[in-house]
Amino acid sequence: MDLGVSASALVPASIAVPLAGAALMAGFSRLMPRWARDLSAIAIALATTTMTLILMAASAGRPMIYWFSGWRPSAGMAIGIDYAVGPLGAGMASLAGVLASAALVYCWRYFDSARGRHHALVLIFLAGSVDFCLTGDLFNLFVALELVAVTAFALTGYNAGYPAPLQGAINFAVTNSLGGMTVLMGVGFLYARTGSLNLAQIGQALTGRHADGLVVAAFALLTGGFLVKAAIVPFHFWLPDAYGSAPIPVCVLFAGVMSELGLFAVMRLWVTVFSGLAGGSGPRMRAVLLGFGILTAVVGAVMALAQLHLKRMLAFVTMSHLGIYLIGVGLLTPLGLAGASLLVIGDGLAKSALFLGVGVVQHQRASVSETKLRGRGRGLAVTGGTLVLGALVLADLPPFVSSAGHALLVDAADQAGLPWMETVIALSVIAASGAVLRAAARIWLGWGDTEISRTDPGTADDPGEEAEDRADTPVAERAQGSQEPSGQQRRVPLTMMLPPLALLAIGLGLGLTSGIADHAAAAAAAFSDRAAYAMAVLGTHSGSMPPGGRIVVPVSPVASAGGVLTDLGQVLAALCVAGIALDRRALRFRRALAVGTGWLRRLHSGLVGDQVTWLAAGLALLAALGEWALH
Amino acid sequence: MSALAYGVVAWLFVIGIYGVVTSRNLIHLVVCLSVAQSATDILLLEIGYRSGGHAPVFVSLPAHPGPAVDAVMQALALTDVVVGAAVTALLLALAVQVHKRAGTLDPDALRATRD
Amino acid sequence: MSRRVRLMLFAVAAAGLAATLGVGLAGLPSFGAQITDYARMLNEMAPRQRHVTDVVSAITFDYRGIDTLFEEFILLAAVAGISVLLRPLSDEIRQLPRDKAPERSIPPPSPAVWLLAAFLSSLLVLTGLETVTHGTLTPGGGFQGGVILASALYVVYLGTNYVTVERFQPDALLEASDGVGASGYILIGLLGLLAGAHFLSNVVGLGATGSPISGGTIPLLNLVVGAEVAGGFAILASEFLDQTAVIRTRRR
């Protein structure tokens, strides 16, 4: 298929279209009726998604390089800024597009009081994410990071009439701005050393050199900054505060794609810049990244089990998954990266569907507290089904696409000689999924105790539970809160009911696509091919490009049957966790567990001073570990 | 000279973060964040500095012989200034609302997202 | 964590952080010794290739023009975000303050103050326009000039009272200026594509170095950025002022 000329114009169009739409929507929202704002925002998001999907297909063979303003490199020196489009980056961008579209459909009539500015912010967020995934320039990556961050801060605080969203937005903004600053310092260090801002050229300049103090500091500052965005322990404290209090449609964007961008950047930097350093730092760097990943996966899962506030629970589930993705990419093999990519897509779709489902519950029952909602799920059967199915997908229910990702990840861990990693991943996944299933069982089946005393361990009081500033929820109705009249329930609008189902259907469809694992593996191999990347960008080496080394995905029927059994085992185990969490006889056990984890919950104080202290400590730790790994 | 010039960067960044960590007032906290951010701008400009260099503006050159400083770092610092202004403005808007809703500006008194 | 524990942990962390920065800074070339080849090349080439005398402008709007596009949208996002955060919430209304004691009202601003404000603001408008339009020649450009233009409006606020300004404030015009400026950047970028070159390629005639109209698309980009920044900063000021002047909690 020849997409040559037309596809190259799509590269700038994939950011120009959403940005132009956002600018016009922000500038002329007074002139547009509400339906026109909604429709055009959805159309723009869908168009952007389509463009990135075409780019993903077109860049499958070799990276597409696009030099803005036409400044091609001369004599191996980059002059302008390039986009280096690969299937992995474009795929990530299209995931952002899908989630933005779903969020915009869902918030049909939602954000009326914001007069179109909310649509503009979502579209700018999308454009920033696309830039993030495609750019080949280190400083442009920083700009993309800040663009995504600034829109995200504003969107988080949308319900500005309540304390929790305000505090969440402040914690988010302060910690992530500091992360941005460390990234910029790292950019400065690398520029001073290599004289370039282009990723490929920086990587070439460092190839074969031994890491000295400056390179180690640059590594720690850059990686640390992006790990703040990726919410990896101990940089993660802002995430539950922000995700737990942001409006539902915004949570969809956050949970599905925003933090994953941080991990994407860490990998982009490792592959193009730091992996060429002399001294064979790979194995030790793997240990460092895996350590952070395991810690995050476990902490997130434990904290998810301790939540009764549904959005905050999903926030910790998201965090646990980020740890698992870091395990995948931290293996530093293409297979691990492929597995993580499929998991990002599969889990991202499922988590977004879960957030949207919780949004329906909140809209109908004016609460997101698991205990306050106990037994009040009647009449919301479709949403209940959505939540349960989403939770099972989190436990890698086959044939959804996350199951394929899980299989690849396990294979990658085995190949790396770390078979025990499978257990760590399984335990985190089971706990996270079990937490959501417990909530669903309590809400729709009325299981568990009637009243949870304040001292009941293992469950946090729900902080900042409140209604949202919705256009279609009159103040009076909201003030009544929990005691809504049962006779005159509002119908769930289709625009709220369908998007979560559509997201789950996409996950199912991708899982049923034959060869999806091979595609992911090929994309990951292309992403990891450092030499081909540098050659494509800088064009220094003459001759044709050698084909990138394809990795063979092991597809023995026995292995895949085993994988399916493992996944089903995980699903069963998650159901058991939910059962135990609600069973009266297991109260003692829960109490013991809660005493053991109470200190962890107390660390999540929600105070920005604590969070920044941990951030500084994390940076220092990362620098020490980087010194050990790179030197 | 190098030690002093570069030392300022480390000092401003660490002292700015110290201010954020210990702040009892959100407005003060935002200003401390700007202090930390100025460290990054100074770092960029110092990397681009050339002793005796003039600004990268090539008007009436005979009056300013000699090399020019790095224009790239100045452009980057300009971008960073805009980023800083955007974040500062957003945080101040949040602080206004916090003051209205929580009746305090003390970040340690905010308990809405405690676990 | 108690504040004591927090401080102790921070002391350790800050020592580590300072050491990290110190090690990194120690690895830099000594202060003022050299600039990179990339920077030297741009300093040399930009005046010739782009017919500008201010190289920073050429880098901002041409060599690295896409950075500036996103930078502009960071500002647009911040302005839109602040309008969202500071909008009248469901329990608030916009209401101009009513004078409850007309017989003891505050005297209107004296003509001298008013005149000074008018003079200063027209001076600021001139300076702003000068800065926006001479970005290719001397330090300055759309961002700097736009901020100066917006500050002209602030001076009007100071010279009169806010209620008067609020009545005549061209909100729709400011928003349009914000949006048109931002989308204008993209339209100018599309010129490159239409001419068969790349997005943001400088395809307009370059003019003579040193003349006010030189540098191709660079002065055009400065103009649209100036419009966006001026509109954006003016909106910012009015959103914050609205909070104290006209937004009230609704009476129950």
Side-chain angles (χ1 to χ4, degrees):
Chain A
M1 189 162 49
D2 182 33
L3 288 159
V5 178
S6 51
S8 94
L10 281 182
V11 178
S14 63
I15 52 145
V17 168
L19 285 183
L24 294 175
M25 217 160 276
F28 298 101
S29 58
R30 285 164 202 267
L31 305 181
M32 294 169 85
R34 198 192 61 213
W35 60 267
R37 292 200 291 259
D38 280 334
L39 268 187
S40 46
I42 294 168
I44 291 167
L46 285 175
T48 310
T49 313
T50 314
M51 286 189 283
T52 47
L53 282 173
I54 296 174
L55 287 178
M56 183 169 76
S59 62
R62 49 184 295 169
M64 291 169 67
I65 310 298
Y66 189 90
W67 291 96
F68 283 97
S69 316
W71 290 109
R72 290 174 201 286
S74 78
M77 185 194 274
I79 299 171
I81 294 175
D82 68 316
Y83 272 7
V85 185
L88 201 73
M92 191 83 187
S94 52
L95 176 65
V98 169
L99 295 180
S101 310
L104 284 168
V105 172
Y106 179 88
C107 60
W108 188 268
R109 297 178 52 203
Y110 191 117
F111 287 111
D112 207 31
S113 67
R115 211 163 34 77
R117 287 171 295 212
H118 160 265
H119 297 88
L121 286 172
V122 170
L123 291 176
I124 296 176
F125 181 96
L126 173 57
S129 307
V130 174
D131 181 39
F132 204 101
C133 296
L134 304 186
T135 189
D137 186 277
L138 184 54
F139 184 73
N140 194 244
L141 189 64
F142 163 77
V143 175
L145 173 81
E146 293 289 353
L147 182 61
V148 170
V150 164
T151 41
F153 303 156
L155 288 169
T156 304
Y158 177 82
N159 291 315
Y162 303 92
L166 293 171
Q167 195 180 347
I170 287 175
N171 293 351
F172 184 13
V174 171
T175 48
N176 280 261
S177 298
L178 283 170
M181 289 173 207
T182 66
V183 167
L184 187 56
M185 287 193 164
V187 174
F189 281 156
L190 285 185
Y191 175 80
R193 171 56 52 86
T194 64
S196 178
L197 294 166
N198 183 280
L199 285 170
Q201 196 183 334
I202 295 172
Q204 294 301 98
L206 292 180
T207 303
R209 301 264 205 97
H210 283 275
D212 62 351
L214 180 139
V215 174
V216 170
F219 166 82
L221 292 169
L222 284 166
T223 308
F226 286 118
L227 287 185
V228 173
K229 173 118 288 191
I232 296 302
V233 177
F235 304 106
H236 70 284
F237 289 93
W238 61 272
L239 182 139
D241 300 349
Y243 290 20
S245 58
I248 291 284
V250 175
C251 290
V252 170
L253 292 175
F254 286 5
V257 74
M258 187 172 68
S259 293
E260 286 77 357
L261 290 176
L263 291 180
F264 181 86
V266 169
M267 281 327 283
R268 179 67 103 189
L269 281 171
W270 171 254
V271 169
T272 57
V273 173
F274 294 108
S275 67
L277 289 166
S281 48
R284 275 183 285 187
M285 185 52 64
R286 184 165 70 188
V288 172
L289 294 179
L290 289 180
F292 277 109
I294 293 169
L295 193 61
T296 308
V298 172
V299 169
V302 170
M303 290 298 293
L305 268 178
Q307 302 300 317
L308 289 175
H309 184 282
L310 291 177
K311 282 162 76 180
R312 207 169 156 85
M313 175 194 291
L314 289 178
F316 279 112
V317 169
T318 306
M319 188 188 134
S320 174
H321 281 147
L322 287 163
I324 294 172
Y325 309 152
L326 183 57
I327 293 173
V329 300
L331 290 167
L332 301 180
T333 62
L335 199 57
L337 180 59
S341 314
L342 285 185
L343 275 178
V344 165
I345 297 172
D347 289 344
L349 292 167
K351 270 175 296 189
S352 302
L354 285 173
F355 266 116
L356 292 176
V358 169
V360 174
V361 175
Q362 183 177 23
H363 181 242
Q364 296 290 310
R365 299 287 182 271
S367 175
V368 288
S369 158
E370 186 181 324
T371 42
K372 283 187 195 160
L373 287 166
R374 180 175 168 275
R376 292 174 59 208
R378 270 193 316 137
L380 296 174
V382 176
T383 303
T386 310
L387 282 188
V388 170
L389 189 57
L392 295 180
V393 173
L394 291 186
D396 302 328
L397 175 76
F400 284 83
V401 65
S402 48
S403 161
H406 180 240
L408 284 183
L409 188 52
V410 169
D411 279 340
D414 281 347
Q415 282 186 12
L418 303 165
W420 50 270
M421 196 64 81
E422 185 180 354
T423 319
V424 176
I425 297 172
L427 287 178
S428 326
V429 163
I430 290 166
S433 169
V436 182
L437 286 172
R438 179 197 70 199
R442 195 172 264 153
I443 297 171
W444 275 273
L445 301 178
W447 289 7
D449 293 326
T450 332
E451 201 59 49
I452 298 232
S453 65
R454 288 225 155 219
T455 51
D456 183 32
T459 47
D461 193 11
D462 42 336
E465 184 210 336
E466 57 240 350
E468 302 205 319
D469 219 11
R470 285 193 61 119
D472 55 351
T473 312
V475 183
E477 206 174 337
R478 229 179 311 138
Q480 289 181 5
S482 54
Q483 35 179 317
E484 91 280 355
S486 53
Q488 36 179 304
Q489 278 181 8
R490 282 165 294 156
R491 279 176 57 92
V492 185
L494 274 184
T495 49
M496 295 181 80
M497 195 116 84
L498 289 182
L501 292 173
L503 291 178
L504 288 175
I506 294 175
L508 181 62
L510 284 176
L512 293 174
T513 309
S514 66
I516 184 90
D518 292 319
H519 287 303
F527 184 90
S528 312
D529 194 340
R530 174 185 162 77
Y533 179 87
M535 212 183 295
V537 173
L538 298 173
T540 41
H541 300 252
S542 53
S544 65
M545 201 182 304
R550 280 185 65 85
I551 35 168
V552 184
V553 182
V555 276
S556 70
V558 181
S560 67
V564 168
L565 279 183
T566 318
D567 289 345
L568 288 176
Q570 282 188 171
V571 169
L572 271 181
L575 288 167
C576 291
V577 167
I580 292 171
L582 291 170
D583 195 76
R584 210 156 295 166
R585 284 162 297 181
L587 186 65
R588 265 238 177 97
F589 173 65
R590 290 206 300 272
R591 196 160 287 172
L593 207 63
V595 170
T597 55
W599 60 274
L600 187 60
R601 285 192 27 221
R602 277 192 297 280
L603 283 185
H604 294 77
S605 59
L607 298 180
V608 70
D610 289 353
Q611 303 188 342
V612 173
T613 305
W614 284 114
L615 194 158
L619 280 173
L621 175 70
L622 193 62
L625 292 173
E627 168 77 16
W628 170 71
L630 292 172
H631 220 132
Chain B
M1 189 61 195
S2 281
L4 194 63
Y6 293 143
V8 168
V9 175
W11 167 253
L12 280 179
F13 194 65
V14 173
I15 202 70
I17 296 184
Y18 169 80
V20 172
V21 165
T22 56
S23 182
R24 301 308 295 259
N25 182 301
L26 276 175
I27 310 286
H28 169 263
L29 187 148
V30 175
V31 175
C32 290
L33 203 60
S34 307
V35 170
Q37 202 221 351
S38 62
T40 62
D41 290 332
I42 292 178
L43 173 66
L44 293 182
L45 295 176
E46 287 186 350
I47 287 171
Y49 183 67
R50 171 95 189 254
S51 299
H54 63 80
V57 179
F58 297 89
V59 188
S60 57
L61 274 183
H64 307 281
V69 301
D70 186 337
V72 180
M73 287 295 111
Q74 300 204 347
L76 264 48
L78 177 63
T79 305
D80 190 42
V81 167
V82 175
V83 170
V87 172
T88 304
L90 269 173
L91 276 169
L92 289 177
L94 289 166
V96 166
Q97 292 289 22
V98 164
H99 187 250
K100 264 199 297 189
R101 301 290 156 172
T104 176
L105 278 173
D106 183 355
D108 281 355
L110 301 179
R111 294 282 170 175
T113 61
R114 184 175 39 177
D115 203 90
Chain C
M1 272 197 296
S2 71
R3 284 181 67 84
R4 223 181 104 78
V5 177
R6 182 198 292 179
L7 260 183
M8 273 155 53
L9 178 60
F10 179 76
V12 178
L17 188 60
T20 308
L21 288 174
V23 168
L25 291 164
L28 290 173
S30 73
F31 178 60
Q34 59 180 42
I35 61 172
T36 62
D37 290 343
Y38 180 47
R40 209 172 304 131
M41 184 196 71
L42 286 179
N43 274 343
E44 212 170 282
M45 303 294 285
R48 269 187 280 150
Q49 284 181 326
R50 286 295 168 252
H51 297 198
V52 296
T53 51
D54 179 8
V55 178
V56 180
S57 259
I59 292 171
T60 314
F61 291 105
D62 191 322
Y63 295 97
R64 303 185 60 85
I66 190 78
D67 273 348
T68 311
L69 171 64
F70 286 110
E71 176 191 347
E72 216 194 346
F73 275 86
I74 289 178
L75 195 63
L76 185 88
V79 171
I82 284 164
S83 307
V84 167
L85 292 177
L86 297 182
R87 72 193 186 279
L89 296 166
S90 49
D91 58 348
E92 292 174 334
I93 47 166
R94 288 176 64 92
Q95 191 179 57
L96 284 173
R98 239 171 295 137
D99 202 340
K100 285 182 187 144
E103 75 283 4
R104 285 178 287 124
S105 63
I106 307 164
S110 84
V113 172
W114 197 91
L115 193 70
L116 188 66
F119 173 70
L120 265 182
S121 63
S122 46
L123 207 63
L124 281 168
V125 168
L126 278 180
T127 317
L129 289 176
E130 203 269 345
T131 312
V132 170
T133 49
H134 288 70
T136 43
L137 303 176
T138 48
F143 278 103
Q144 298 88 328
V147 175
I148 298 176
L149 282 174
S151 67
L153 208 60
Y154 299 1
V155 172
V156 177
Y157 292 158
L158 289 177
T160 59
N161 58 32
Y162 186 66
V163 176
T164 320
V165 174
E166 176 68 21
R167 281 210 187 98
F168 299 104
Q169 174 148 290
D171 277 328
L173 189 72
L174 292 177
E175 263 181 34
S177 165
D178 197 31
V180 167
S183 47
Y185 203 113
I186 293 168
L187 286 180
I188 294 172
L190 289 177
L191 285 182
L193 280 184
L194 287 180
H198 285 211
F199 187 69
L200 283 172
S201 283
N202 197 336
V203 290
V204 179
L206 291 172
T209 310
S211 82
I213 300 177
S214 59
T217 52
I218 298 173
L220 296 176
L221 290 172
N222 268 319
L223 281 182
V224 291
V225 170
E228 196 241 336
V229 174
F233 271 83
I235 295 173
L236 278 190
S238 84
E239 292 289 352
F240 277 100
L241 287 170
D242 276 358
Q243 283 294 316
T244 47
V246 291
I247 289 183
R248 303 267 172 274
T249 309
R250 189 180 309 209
R251 220 169 272 140
R252 293 268 165 173

